[in-house]
Amino acid sequence: MSELAVQPRHNVRFLVAGFVPYLLAVVAAFLAAGIFIAAMGFNVPEAYSSILFTSFRTPTAFIQTLLKFVPLMLMALGFAVPLKANKFNIGLEGQLILGAIGATAAGILLADLPAFLLLPMAILAGILFGALWAALPAWLLYRFNINEILTTVLMNFVAFSLMDYIATEVWGDPGAGHPTTIPIAPGAYMPLLVSSPPLNAGILIALLTAVVVYIYTNRTVSGYELGATGSNPRASMVYGINTRTMFLLSLIIGGALAGLAGAIEVTGVQHRLIEGMQSNYLQLGIIIGLIAKGNIRAIPLVAFFIAVLEVGASAMQRTMMIPVEIVFIVEALILIFILLADVIRRR
Amino acid sequence: MEGIGAQVVSLAKLVMLTMVPYVLASQGTMLAGRTGLFNVAQEGVMLVGASVAFLVAYLSGSLFYGLLAAALAGGLFGLALAYFTTTLKVNQFVIGLALFFTGLGLSTLLYKYVIGVTLQPPLIPTLGDVAIPGLSRIPFVGEILFDQNVLVYFAILLSIFLYYLLYRTSLGLELRAIGENPKAADSLGISIPIYRYVTAIVGGMLIGLAGAYLPMVYTGTFTAGIVKGRGWLAIALTFFGGWAPHLIFFGSLFFAGIEVLAFRVQVRGVAIPYQFLLMLPYVATMLIMIFASKRVGIPAALGLNYDRERRTLLD
């Protein structure tokens, strides 16, 4: 079994052949969006220099980029693992919210625990809540064969209302002026790696998680069966793999990863539940997962690149008044051009 | 205090009004789905429809031009979907999601570019009711069915037309055959690309119109959160409507009923926290999908591209 999972050795030619279409797709996306930006009357070189280089100009911006990178990479992993089984987890947003709720609940309810227990409890609660939120659609798929794209999405909308309820009625902070909970106990705060500007240890957990996910998908029997289920369900079934269980498992793992992202946001960055804290991580996580074509090793790189674009785009909106949505179009275009590159390569 | 009869009439009228975006988006989804083309970009296409309809109506002063522009924009998204899946054979879900993202970004971008950031949102007049002479005078039924905005009439007629097209014409038979068995349809000489292109474009136009309905009837303006999951609900509705126009129509009525109910209860200030009422449509949808899962079918080739040279279905 295990020798089947060994990847082909990557020689230089293979790397170049894999990388060049990506580079061309990125350039093409920037060119296409550039025409659009120019047509809207904005200064294209200035806008692009802001988008691409802001992250590397100041320590603050660089750390901001790393802080964005963490949830983006985890969300992308949460999309990529079910994608291995050919399942689409569009419920990452709700799963992240539930992870954030879990961590907040632990950080408030268990406030008396010592820090060495409280922080792990908060993170575990986040992972568990995220996994459970994904488990319901996963079970509906397993038991009734209901399309997971729909049910995972619908769970997002339920999560929005639940978040609003918790941030206003349960632990609401009336002084905040926006649906927000009271802060979690300081014992649940993630320790800092760099104190100013603050960078929390969540990035270490995230990178470690990426390694674990890689080992699981590429070096274990279960991970191999997951990939086999996705590429040829019928053959896998004949071979004796319980494909429905693999679908179920992959979605629950995806939910756990998104839940971890939410827990890190709460314990590391916000220290409370804030409505809207999930930002546009769902869309970006999916885009990253699709750009990386589900390749676990490529995901951290793509996630970092997208984090750079995002931080650069907000700077561009602040300084040049160019709508930040431009960069979202660039990201969608990168994905579309990569799909096109695949089509050309197939011919 | 108005009488119970009048209350029921006004409630029923409201349900008919609320049904429209569900009907349009779902029938659009169904149409392409019946040829095996599964569109998952609804949420994004509806946003573009809402944004474009609002902007064009605002700038031109004509609601009709707004509707036309929304249909055109939706049609373009449908064309892109058909091109990528039917001609280029890209995975339907992947390109669908990519188009969803494009729509998500484009809708707000266009609004910000044309309107900018304002304290007070600019408004367009909402679509007025058009009473049908004679029929609207029938007690009860007249007010509910024949004193509505034009898109309510359009949604009803569209559903009847699609039912007729699908089940009573040879065109409809061919269309359904492609979704069930593309290989067999192909060997009968039915052009799969033509059917998929046309249904994707027309379906996209309907989804764009569904989006246009939101600013034109509900809000009078565009906001990034205006669609609020209706695009995804429309897909769910198409599923438990068994990809059949008549069932989709009744399903839309049911959805509209839940939406109106949740809103009414919220306004009345019932003891349930309003957040749980807001969850109602999504939870109800999942419950219905469980009940429908054993009873309704889906087109066998749904979500699969057809490779004519190799005569096989592709993921």
Side-chain angles (χ1 to χ4, degrees):
Chain A
M1 277 298 291
S2 62
E3 63 267 17
L4 283 173
V6 172
Q7 298 280 304
R9 223 167 261 290
H10 285 203
N11 56 32
V12 175
R13 239 184 43 218
F14 188 88
L15 263 179
V16 170
F19 193 67
V20 166
Y22 268 67
L23 201 66
L24 289 178
V26 171
V27 171
F30 271 95
L31 281 178
I35 297 169
F36 204 66
I37 300 172
M40 290 167 77
F42 297 116
N43 182 335
V44 180
E46 216 180 306
Y48 279 176
S49 123
S50 171
I51 289 179
L52 289 171
F53 302 124
T54 300
S55 293
F56 308 102
R57 281 187 185 136
T58 61
T60 314
F62 188 70
I63 284 187
Q64 222 184 343
T65 309
L66 293 181
L67 290 177
K68 261 233 149 88
F69 161 76
V70 170
L72 290 185
M73 183 185 68
L74 289 172
M75 294 290 261
L77 290 172
F79 181 74
V81 171
L83 191 67
K84 289 246 178 254
N86 214 4
K87 290 291 137 194
F88 288 75
N89 180 11
I90 321 288
L92 293 160
E93 192 165 18
Q95 293 149 16
L96 179 141
I97 290 173
L98 263 287
I101 291 175
T104 307
I108 291 173
L109 294 175
L110 308 175
D112 295 335
L113 285 182
F116 75 92
L117 275 178
L118 182 54
L119 178 60
M121 290 294 269
I123 292 174
L124 278 179
I127 295 173
L128 193 69
F129 273 44
L132 283 175
W133 205 247
L136 181 66
W139 180 73
L140 291 178
L141 176 72
Y142 178 82
R143 176 76 181 73
F144 300 102
N145 203 20
I146 297 176
N147 183 303
E148 82 289 351
I149 297 184
L150 287 174
T151 45
T152 51
V153 163
L154 296 177
M155 294 295 282
N156 288 343
F157 291 95
V158 179
F160 298 156
S161 293
L162 189 64
M163 180 186 221
D164 186 56
Y165 179 68
I166 288 171
T168 52
E169 307 292 325
V170 182
W171 292 306
D173 177 359
H178 174 81
T180 303
T181 64
I182 51 175
I184 56 174
Y189 288 12
M190 188 80 78
L192 294 178
L193 297 177
V194 181
S195 55
S196 167
L199 174 67
N200 68 77
I203 189 165
L204 298 181
I205 298 179
L207 289 173
L208 189 69
T209 307
V211 173
V212 171
V213 170
Y214 174 74
I215 292 172
Y216 168 70
T217 55
N218 293 47
R219 294 282 184 271
T220 67
V221 173
S222 169
Y224 172 78
E225 292 184 348
L226 189 71
T229 300
S231 49
N232 193 338
R234 207 193 303 178
S236 307
M237 214 137 65
V238 171
Y239 176 76
I241 298 171
N242 189 338
T243 52
R244 282 152 71 93
T245 310
M246 293 320 287
F247 294 150
L248 182 87
L249 181 70
S250 71
L251 284 168
I252 292 177
I253 293 175
L257 289 165
L260 174 62
I264 292 178
E265 284 298 287
V266 167
T267 56
V269 183
Q270 312 287 4
H271 300 147
R272 53 178 65 71
L273 185 72
I274 302 172
E275 195 168 308
M277 66 189 288
Q278 75 274 19
S279 182
N280 56 350
Y281 296 156
L282 165 72
Q283 291 85 337
L284 295 178
I286 295 174
I287 287 187
I288 294 163
L290 289 177
I291 288 179
K293 293 178 202 147
N295 181 338
I296 305 294
R297 270 190 299 187
I299 281 178
L301 294 176
V302 180
F304 183 74
F305 176 63
I306 298 290
V308 166
L309 297 189
E310 286 293 308
V311 169
S314 2
M316 174 193 73
Q317 174 160 281
R318 272 197 313 275
T319 56
M320 301 171 64
M321 308 298 282
I322 302 179
V324 67
E325 281 76 15
I326 284 279
V327 80
F328 200 67
I329 307 258
V330 172
E331 288 153 356
L333 282 175
I334 292 176
L335 174 57
I336 290 176
F337 280 115
I338 283 175
L339 295 175
L340 281 175
D342 277 352
V343 171
I344 295 165
R345 219 171 352 169
R346 242 186 287 148
R347 294 204 166 152
Chain B
M1 190 71 193
E2 52 184 350
I4 286 287
Q7 272 191 39
V8 169
V9 167
S10 81
L11 211 61
K13 190 176 169 182
L14 198 59
V15 170
M16 292 298 288
L17 178 110
T18 313
M19 154 200 89
V20 176
Y22 295 116
V23 173
L24 297 180
S26 262
Q27 304 289 26
T29 308
M30 180 278 297
L31 201 56
R34 270 302 170 103
T35 67
L37 187 46
F38 188 12
N39 186 353
V40 291
Q42 284 82 348
E43 191 81 4
V45 178
M46 281 179 78
L47 271 166
V48 169
S51 170
V52 166
F54 167 76
L55 292 172
V56 170
Y58 180 72
L59 295 176
S60 71
S62 155
L63 292 180
F64 177 73
Y65 287 152
L67 288 173
L68 210 62
L72 264 173
L76 278 177
F77 272 81
L79 175 67
L81 180 70
Y83 178 70
F84 272 91
T85 56
T86 304
T87 305
L88 298 183
K89 315 276 186 258
V90 172
N91 179 297
Q92 296 188 4
F93 300 113
V94 173
I95 189 62
L97 288 172
L99 290 174
F100 160 49
F101 299 137
T102 310
L104 208 61
L106 199 62
S107 55
T108 305
L109 180 67
L110 286 173
Y111 179 85
K112 277 194 191 167
Y113 177 62
V114 176
I115 305 290
V117 180
T118 53
L119 280 177
Q120 290 287 322
L123 291 174
I124 52 171
T126 48
L127 219 53
D129 289 349
V130 179
I132 296 183
L135 291 175
S136 62
R137 308 279 287 278
I138 306 169
F140 300 115
V141 181
E143 208 176 322
I144 297 168
L145 281 181
F146 301 111
D147 187 15
Q148 294 274 15
N149 69 61
V150 284
L151 284 174
V152 175
Y153 304 135
F154 176 69
I156 297 171
L157 293 176
L158 174 80
S159 300
I160 297 170
F161 168 75
L162 286 176
Y163 181 81
Y164 177 80
L165 178 81
L166 246 56
Y167 299 110
R168 297 285 183 272
T169 68
S170 58
L171 213 63
L173 185 65
E174 292 187 357
L175 200 153
R176 286 185 289 139
I178 296 171
E180 295 302 334
N181 193 340
K183 224 155 128 182
D186 188 28
S187 61
L188 287 174
I190 300 171
S191 168
I192 295 173
I194 290 183
Y195 273 95
R196 287 199 167 174
Y197 265 90
V198 171
T199 53
I201 292 170
V202 174
M205 292 170 88
L206 292 174
I207 298 166
L209 279 179
Y213 194 80
L214 306 171
M216 289 206 171
V217 175
Y218 295 163
T219 59
T221 187
F222 173 82
T223 55
I226 195 167
V227 179
K228 243 182 32 196
R230 286 187 184 90
W232 295 109
L233 288 175
I235 306 181
L237 176 57
T238 317
F239 263 93
F240 69 67
W243 304 79
H246 53 298
L247 295 179
I248 285 173
F249 181 83
F250 293 116
S252 304
L253 273 178
F254 181 75
F255 260 41
I258 292 179
E259 196 180 318
V260 169
L261 182 80
F263 183 72
R264 277 286 160 109
V265 176
Q266 200 178 325
V267 170
R268 291 276 164 85
V270 175
I272 314 166
Y274 73 93
Q275 290 95 342
F276 291 95
L277 294 170
L278 291 179
M279 294 176 190
L280 198 62
Y282 312 108
V283 175
T285 304
M286 277 189 280
L287 289 176
I288 299 166
M289 288 189 75
I290 296 173
F291 288 116
S293 66
K294 292 244 168 66
R295 291 171 185 81
V296 297
I298 59 171
L302 187 69
L304 302 174
N305 292 330
Y306 179 66
D307 187 340
R308 187 148 198 237
E309 281 159 34
R310 286 189 280 164
R311 297 180 49 78
T312 46
L313 290 169
L314 312 168
D315 265 347

